[in-house]
């Protein structure tokens, strides 16, 4: 088999962990597999580097921030290659640019355009291990770029597709995808498998165990993703195509995201084109809008409320204030202490009353729902951040997710 193995921050977080990781790689090579590796920076390192940049300048140039944070992954790639040599394994570290990761789009949120990695296949065929830095690439002008937080997952899946691997194994500090974040609910249960579709919802609704774009890529190219632990080499969770024969529970899991803020523009004259007039400039400012609610119009005026990532809260409020004046709206309000809790599952297609049950459970806990959005396989509510843990645990229990 040809396998791309990705090791996250905790799996390369110390010299001891790098030594343990090198042994895992050697083990898979000795089993007769061809291996390429993608690594993250040591855990905490990306945050440390970002903090250094921000301590010098509140608004550092993003080209330089990318150049800085990309070094985190370069350290671990080189150290891991050094350790592999010690174990008698031929290994070479490659930066994103050296590995052929071509990107487009803005600094700190670049997208992979192509992975030109034929030279890595040649290494693998000779039994040697390319150790590639995750999270980074190079743009058309030769600048170092990064792919957004958690981006090494996406690097790994993209590399697996480029080198035509049979599997992309993502090693982390949990032994699989759980019914909810095990750090919040110790009764969370590991899933043996999950469909790309459900995993995509999990990831985009806040389960940061896999970066959303890595799941999108896996789904598009049908690359099996095996999420597993580097601390305990048991079978993890397979993310693959849906097995349509399976009997489905009402829901498969609960996700949450604290990185949310809510903004409202009140008393806008209700005319055709107002949504476009608000969301056009917001999109132009590269701000991702999520849940949107527009009230019924009263006296020819309406209110528009939507959520944005918390890091974009100040920018959104400033932008809306300008729009408010321009559109002759009444006022702008905001709250950056909200969060999102979601229930997810393809079983919702065949079970009725799932959303109602969710609302009942939250009502029993006296949790006020501020906004609601649904799709065929998820229900999301926006609530006060302080209720996240309570809501997650109550829903996990009510939908019997701790039981097989
Ligand atoms: P890495 O550094 O290896 O990329 P991450 O911290 O990005 O690791 O992702 C692993 C973490 O994701 C786990 O420690 C866990 O707390 C969190 N997590 C959130 N939701 C889930 C879930 N549903 N299943 C498993 N882990 C989850
Ligand atoms: N080191 C980067 C981060 O902390 C990328 C990753 O770990 O996936 O976001
Ligand atoms: Mg991660």
């Amino acid at each position: 088999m040809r396998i791309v193995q990705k090791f996250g921050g905790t799996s390369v977080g110390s010299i001891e962990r790098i030594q343990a990781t090198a042994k895992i790689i050697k083990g898979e090579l000795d089993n007769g597999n061809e291996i390429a590796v993608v690594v993250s920076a040591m855990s905490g390192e990306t945050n440390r580097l970002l903090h250094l940049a921000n301590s010098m300048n509140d608004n550092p140039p993003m080209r330089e921030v990318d150049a800085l944070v990309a070094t985190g992954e370069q350290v671990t790639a080189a150290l891991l290659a050094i350790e592999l040599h010690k174990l008698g394994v031929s290994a070479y570290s490659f930066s994103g640019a050296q590995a052929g990761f071509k990107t487009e789009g803005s600094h700190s949120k670049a997208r992979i355009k192509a992975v030109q990695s034929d030279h890595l296949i040649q290494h693998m065929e000779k039994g040697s291990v390319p150790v590639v830095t995750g999270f980074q690439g190079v743009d058309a002008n030769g600048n170092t770029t990064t792919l957004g937080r958690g981006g090494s997952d996406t690097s790994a899946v993209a590399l697996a597709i480029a080198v035509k691997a049979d599997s992309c194994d993502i090693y982390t500090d949990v032994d699989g995808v759980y019914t909810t974040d095990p750090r919040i609910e110790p009764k969370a249960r590991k899933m043996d498998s999950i469909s790309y579709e459900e995993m995509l919802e999990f990831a985009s609704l806040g389960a940061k165990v896999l970066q959303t774009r890595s799941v999108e890529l896996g789904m598009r190219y049908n690359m099996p993703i095996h999420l597993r632990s580097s601390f305990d080499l048991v079978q993890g969770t397979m993310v693959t195509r849906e097995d349509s024969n399976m009997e489905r529970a009402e829901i498969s899991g609960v996700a949450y995201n604290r990185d949310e803020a809510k903004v409202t523009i009140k008393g806008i004259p209700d005319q055709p084109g107002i949504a476009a007039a608000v969301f056009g400039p917001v999109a132009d400012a590269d701000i991702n809008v999520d849940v949107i609610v527009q009230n019924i119009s009263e006296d020819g005026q309406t209110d528009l409320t939507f959520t944005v990532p918390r890091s974009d809260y100040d920018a959104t409020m400033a932008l809306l204030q300008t729009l408010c004046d321009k559109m002759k709206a009444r006022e702008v309000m905001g709250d950056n202490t909200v969060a999102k809790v979601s229930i997810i599952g393809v079983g919702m297609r065949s079970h009725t009353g799932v959303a109602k049950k969710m609302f009942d459970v939250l009502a029993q806990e006296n949790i006020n729902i501020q906004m609601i959005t649904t799709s065929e396989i998820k229900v999301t509510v926006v609530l006060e951040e302080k209720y996240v843990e309570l809501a997650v645990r109550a829903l996990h229990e009510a939908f019997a997710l701790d039981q097989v």
Side-chain angles (χ1 to χ4, degrees), residues 6-11 40 150 153 171-174 176-183 191 202 206-210 227 254 256:
K6 178 253 172 177
F7 293 90
T10 45
S11 307
S40 290
D153 297 330
Y171 287 84
T172 181
D173 59 353
V174 268
V177 182
Y178 278 66
T179 47
T180 195
D181 187 346
R183 285 188 210 173
M191 302 181 217
F202 257 90
K208 299 198 170 65
V209 60
L210 281 176
L227 189 98
V254 184
Y256 66 92

Side-chain angles (χ1 to χ4, degrees), residues 189 220 259:
R189 203 169 36 80
R220 185 158 359 122
D259 175 30

Side-chain angles (χ1 to χ4, degrees), residues 153-154 199-200 203-205 210-217:
D153 297 330
T154 304
M199 191 63 229
L200 200 54
S204 67
L205 293 169
L210 281 176
Q211 201 198 32
T212 309
R213 283 153 58 201
S214 70
V215 187
E216 267 164 10
L217 267 183

Side-chain angles (χ1 to χ4, degrees), residues 8 32-33 46 68 75 92 107 116 145 159 189 201 206 223 226 267 272 380 382-383:
N33 298 304
T46 307
L68 176 70
V75 169
Y92 298 86
H107 279 291
Q116 292 163 352
T145 54
L159 184 64
R189 203 169 36 80
E201 294 284 5
M223 173 58 63
H226 182 189
T380 296
V382 174
L383 38 74

Side-chain angles (χ1 to χ4, degrees), residues 96-97 101-103 133-139 143-147:
F101 280 78
K102 311 286 180 194
T103 66
T133 55
F135 179 55
Q136 58 180 265
V138 61
D139 72 11
N143 300 303
T144 298
T145 54
T146 65
L147 308 180

Side-chain angles (χ1 to χ4, degrees), residues 263-271 274 292-306 330 333 370-371:
V263 294
T264 304
I265 173 158
K266 294 191 85 160
I268 327 168
D270 194 6
Q271 321 156 343
I274 55 152
I292 303 175
V293 175
Q294 185 183 345
N295 286 2
I296 293 178
S297 150
E298 235 178 273
D299 304 327
Q301 294 194 326
T302 188
D303 304 339
L304 206 53
T305 303
F306 56 95
R330 197 164 60 241
M333 283 166 40
Q370 303 183 3
M371 297 166 86

